């Protein structure tokens, strides 16, 4: 994961491991990015190369992560149907992908070292879920958070609803999920989801400073404390996956995905 063309690069800055996503157009989580994130999680659980904390960030100017790779989902569904693959088999493939993503999220939560998300710009869908799996979120003022899935006739499928519910009150979660509207970093900071709010472009520096501080604390006490805070019930994650799988089979969702993938405006990841 160290080559320039790789979707994720690992770089050390002192005792902090910097996990830098660089997968155009906006770090969408499809098979390529998922495989890279799985390798990152394995590296963390193998000792993080001796690092005491980690920062997850994006090197792309437009934002942190736009969410799931909906183009890959749409064209994959089209290919499977044309090939005559039974619906039950397609559902199983999508379900297996969702389980892999949720294992990555769980792996970040249970990492032996603290992981800080440094976010800017678009933190949408699966990107929001990725940030929620980290121990803290540092955001610059350009960051906007959203679960736009309902605009496509879907729900978050990577564990976002139970993780957001764990972090915030029910009324806020309902507003974010049910409206699909984006929320500013300043608002999320006021609500307590964003641990630190900084000026544009300062999120990486601030996150590394926080990570360095956490890395100086007693590692065993830190690990045990984080374990108390992290768990999300598997039943809730499974229920979210099942609702996603039920919804994605509907013709209305296929039509919405087709409209999405054929857009040509500058922000094609926005429903």
């Amino acid at each position: 994961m160290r080559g320039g063309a790789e979707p994720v690069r690992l770089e050390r800055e002192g005792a902090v491991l910097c996990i830098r996503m660089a997968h155009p157009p906006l770090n969408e989580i499809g098979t390529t990015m998922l495989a890279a994130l799985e390798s990152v999680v394995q590296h963390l659980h193998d000792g993080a190369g001796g690092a005491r904390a980690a920062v997850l960030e994006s090197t792309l100017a437009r934002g942190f992560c736009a969410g799931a790779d909906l183009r890959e989902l749409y064209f994959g569904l089209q290919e499977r149907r044309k090939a005559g693959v039974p619906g039950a088999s397609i559902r199983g493939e999508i379900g297996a992908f969702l389980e892999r993503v949720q294992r990555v999220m769980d792996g970040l939560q249970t990492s032996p070292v603290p992981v800080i998300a440094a976010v800017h710009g678009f933190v949408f869908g699966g990107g929001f879920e990725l940030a929620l799996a980290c121990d803290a979120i540092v955001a610059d003022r350009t960051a906007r958070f959203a679960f736009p899935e309902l605009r496509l006739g879907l729900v978050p499928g990577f564990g976002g609803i139970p993780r957001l519910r764990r972090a915030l009150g029910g009324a806020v979660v309902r507003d974010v999920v049910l409206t699909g509207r984006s929320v500013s970093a300043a608002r999320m900071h006021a609500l307590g989801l964003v641990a630190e709010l900084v000026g544009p472009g300062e999120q990486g520096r601030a996150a590394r400073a926080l990570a360095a501080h956490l890395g100086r604390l007693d590692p065993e006490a830190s690990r045990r404390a984080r374990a108390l805070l992290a768990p999300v019930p598997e039943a809730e994650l499974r229920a979210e996956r099942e609702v996603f799988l039920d919804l994605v089979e509907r013709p209305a969702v296929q039509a919405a995905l087709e409209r999405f993938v054929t857009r040509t405006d500058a922000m094609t990841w926005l429903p």
Side-chain angles (χ1 to χ4, degrees), residues 91-256:
R91 181 186 177 102
E93 291 177 17
I94 298 173
F97 180 83
L98 295 179
E99 289 185 39
R100 285 177 62 195
V101 177
Q102 288 188 353
R103 282 196 295 271
V104 163
M105 305 299 182
D106 290 342
L108 287 173
Q109 283 188 183
T110 59
S111 164
V113 301
V115 182
I116 311 301
V119 306
H120 68 288
F122 296 98
V123 191
F124 279 16
F128 192 4
E129 294 172 287
L130 189 61
L132 286 168
C134 297
D135 292 289
I137 300 173
V138 174
D140 85 354
R141 291 187 178 275
T142 70
R144 295 198 69 86
F145 302 81
F147 282 142
E149 286 85 352
L150 260 71
R151 300 186 189 185
L152 293 170
L154 294 168
V155 297
F158 296 168
I161 292 177
R163 287 191 173 90
L164 187 60
R165 188 165 55 232
R166 180 190 62 179
L168 294 177
V172 177
V173 176
R174 286 193 294 272
D175 181 70
V176 171
V177 173
L178 296 179
T179 68
R181 295 181 298 205
S182 66
V183 182
S184 70
R187 174 64 173 154
M188 285 303 195
H189 183 248
L191 291 169
L193 183 72
V194 168
E196 189 171 350
L197 181 66
V198 297
E202 292 297 310
Q203 73 281 357
R205 176 199 58 77
R208 289 189 291 276
L210 176 58
H213 169 74
L214 295 180
R216 288 191 289 269
L217 302 177
D218 182 275
E220 179 61 15
S222 175
R223 185 185 67 80
R224 298 289 292 272
R226 291 171 56 247
L228 292 173
L229 298 170
V232 173
E234 169 57 29
E236 294 183 25
L237 298 174
R238 184 169 59 251
E240 187 185 82
R241 289 197 305 268
E242 290 301 315
V243 172
F244 183 97
L245 291 170
D246 288 342
L247 291 173
V248 77
E249 297 174 343
R250 297 180 306 142
V253 171
Q254 302 308 306

Side-chain angles (χ1 to χ4, degrees), residues 79-95:
E79 290 175 5
R80 298 296 193 281
R81 290 194 174 101
K82 287 179 181 177
V85 177
S89 296
I90 295 174
R91 181 186 177 102
E93 291 177 17
I94 298 173

